[in-house]
Amino acid sequence: AKDAGGNQLMVFNPAYREALEHHFEIESALRDAIGTKQLHLAVQPQHTPDGTMHGVEILCRWQHPELGRISPGIFIPIAEKSDLIVELGQWIVAEALQVAAQLPDHLTVAINISPRHFREPNLVEQVLEQIHLSGVKPSRLVLEVTENLLVDDLQGITNKINQLKTLGVQFSIDDFGTGYSSLSYISQLPIDELKIDQGFVQGIGCEQQNKIVETIVSMGQHLGLRVVAEGIETKEQLDFLASLSDTIVCQGYYFHAPMSPSALLDEIAHSAHV
Ligand code: C2E
Ligand code: CA
Ligand code: CA
Ligand code: CA
């Protein structure tokens, strides 16, 4: 009874109650949104320093008729707190493969996979089924996972990664440098790519941050991994990254904001650069 009283006090705290109501409002609106036109996918191109397009990252967008545009920074964490992330993640994978099928087939397509979705027992079968249905070459698919996926059940996670890799699917460690994984795990895992967290990229220009970025790039290269830098907004950031590596893959507003797949297709049709 004492505990219940404690919880009630919490619920009657107006700020807490508002946050809670907001959470459930968004969760329930999202449940209804999956599979409707409210949700769509944006693509953000990735280039090597010479301007060649390497691929795209898929980013989910939600436009609610009354609540307006809701950022994935808000709704993804809410979906992750419930099983909704699994339904949403499945929809995103299927939809992203449709986008991939329309893009030139030398471009990779990176999809963010939440830990909870990756841990679903039938994840491997589902992804393979969607790849098969889309007709997309598995090696064009890059699954972006975060270091936090790797903190427990490393064996189970590694098995899944290996099953998908056997078919050619690639793996990237997103937000590299911000999570809790150990470097020894990273070096042992069959991954293809490190994605330097945009926080480090935005620190370029400050001597200490430059050294961190330089160290991550050289570590990635020594491990034989592709290195991607995201969140590039300025020429200074790009020039610094390009001075470290001419194969580094670059992504950010400096090149392109996330855009609709059809806008990208238009751009590709009018450009000699890809
Ligand atoms: P993320 O995976 O690290 O994605 C990069 C974020 O940086 C995206 O924000 C992108 O729009 C933004 N961004 C790109 N270039 C720049 C730049 O030059 N400067 C700055 N400041 N930001 C840039 P977005 O689309 O709001 O997504 C936020 C996060 O939500 C993502 O971070 C990811 O964790 C999650 N998310 C987005 N879409 C999906 C999805 O389809 N599935 C899952 N599981 N998570 C997603
Ligand atoms: Ca639904
Ligand atoms: Ca990402
Ligand atoms: Ca990231």
Side-chain angles (χ1 to χ4, degrees):
K2 219 176 173 188
D3 278 1
N7 285 335
Q8 276 204 327
L9 257 186
M10 289 268 282
V11 172
F12 286 120
N13 170 313
Y16 178 78
R17 187 175 63 190
E18 209 186 294
L20 199 67
E21 279 171 358
H22 189 60
H23 181 113
F24 286 117
E25 183 186 16
I26 289 183
E27 186 183 321
S28 119
L30 182 58
R31 203 173 289 281
D32 295 336
I34 298 174
T36 74
K37 293 228 159 64
Q38 288 180 33
L39 289 176
H40 60 274
L41 300 183
V43 295
Q44 187 175 33
Q46 303 171 317
H47 304 263
T48 43
D50 65 2
T52 310
M53 199 182 293
H54 169 81
V56 297
E57 178 176 7
I58 298 281
L59 295 158
C60 190
R61 296 289 176 258
W62 182 15
Q63 178 75 42
H64 186 273
E66 283 105 44
L67 301 172
R69 186 176 165 151
I70 303 168
S71 140
I74 304 276
F75 70 80
I76 294 287
I78 289 178
E80 279 169 345
K81 290 206 175 72
S82 75
D83 280 337
L84 256 191
I85 193 63
V86 177
E87 195 186 334
L88 179 60
Q90 287 169 356
W91 179 83
I92 290 168
V93 169
E95 204 68 13
L97 282 159
Q98 297 307 308
V99 172
Q102 294 170 47
L103 294 175
D105 66 7
H106 64 280
L107 298 179
T108 58
V109 173
I111 309 176
N112 294 284
I113 306 282
S114 293
R116 183 140 176 189
H117 183 200
F118 197 79
R119 288 174 190 283
E120 268 295 289
N122 58 358
L123 173 105
V124 172
E125 291 73 16
Q126 272 171 2
V127 170
L128 293 181
E129 189 191 344
Q130 293 302 331
I131 290 176
H132 185 72
L133 286 171
S134 70
V136 167
K137 247 192 304 166
S139 59
R140 292 181 58 206
L141 200 63
V142 181
L143 301 185
E144 292 192 7
V145 300
T146 54
E147 292 168 69
N148 299 347
L149 174 67
L150 312 172
V151 294
D152 60 52
D153 188 26
L154 190 64
Q155 191 53 55
I157 298 295
T158 308
N159 283 341
K160 278 187 169 173
I161 293 180
N162 277 324
Q163 286 177 56
L164 286 160
K165 279 210 63 82
T166 307
L167 286 124
V169 175
Q170 303 189 54
F171 280 83
S172 174
I173 304 291
D174 200 2
D175 305 334
F176 183 73
T178 63
Y180 301 107
S181 67
S182 86
L183 287 180
S184 78
Y185 289 175
I186 297 284
S187 64
Q188 284 165 43
L189 277 170
I191 55 164
D192 304 277
E193 180 183 288
L194 287 186
K195 235 177 144 169
I196 307 175
D197 186 67
Q198 52 181 276
F200 297 123
V201 172
Q202 274 141 29
I204 289 173
C206 151
E207 201 184 326
Q208 220 33 50
Q209 297 281 342
N210 284 3
K211 284 183 191 152
I212 293 178
V213 171
E214 196 174 343
T215 304
I216 297 176
V217 171
S218 108
M219 188 194 77
Q221 288 174 331
H222 279 110
L223 294 174
L225 303 174
R226 179 168 64 236
V227 178
V228 180
E230 67 176 336
I232 300 171
E233 295 181 357
T234 68
K235 182 161 192 311
E236 183 196 9
Q237 291 162 354
L238 172 63
D239 288 347
F240 179 72
L241 291 160
S243 77
L244 299 177
S245 160
D246 49 17
T247 56
I248 191 167
V249 174
C250 300
Q251 177 184 348
Y253 297 158
Y254 181 74
F255 297 97
H256 289 287
M259 62 177 100
S260 68
S262 60
L264 178 61
L265 283 169
D266 277 359
E267 180 136 339
I268 288 173
H270 294 100
S271 152
H273 238 19
V274 292

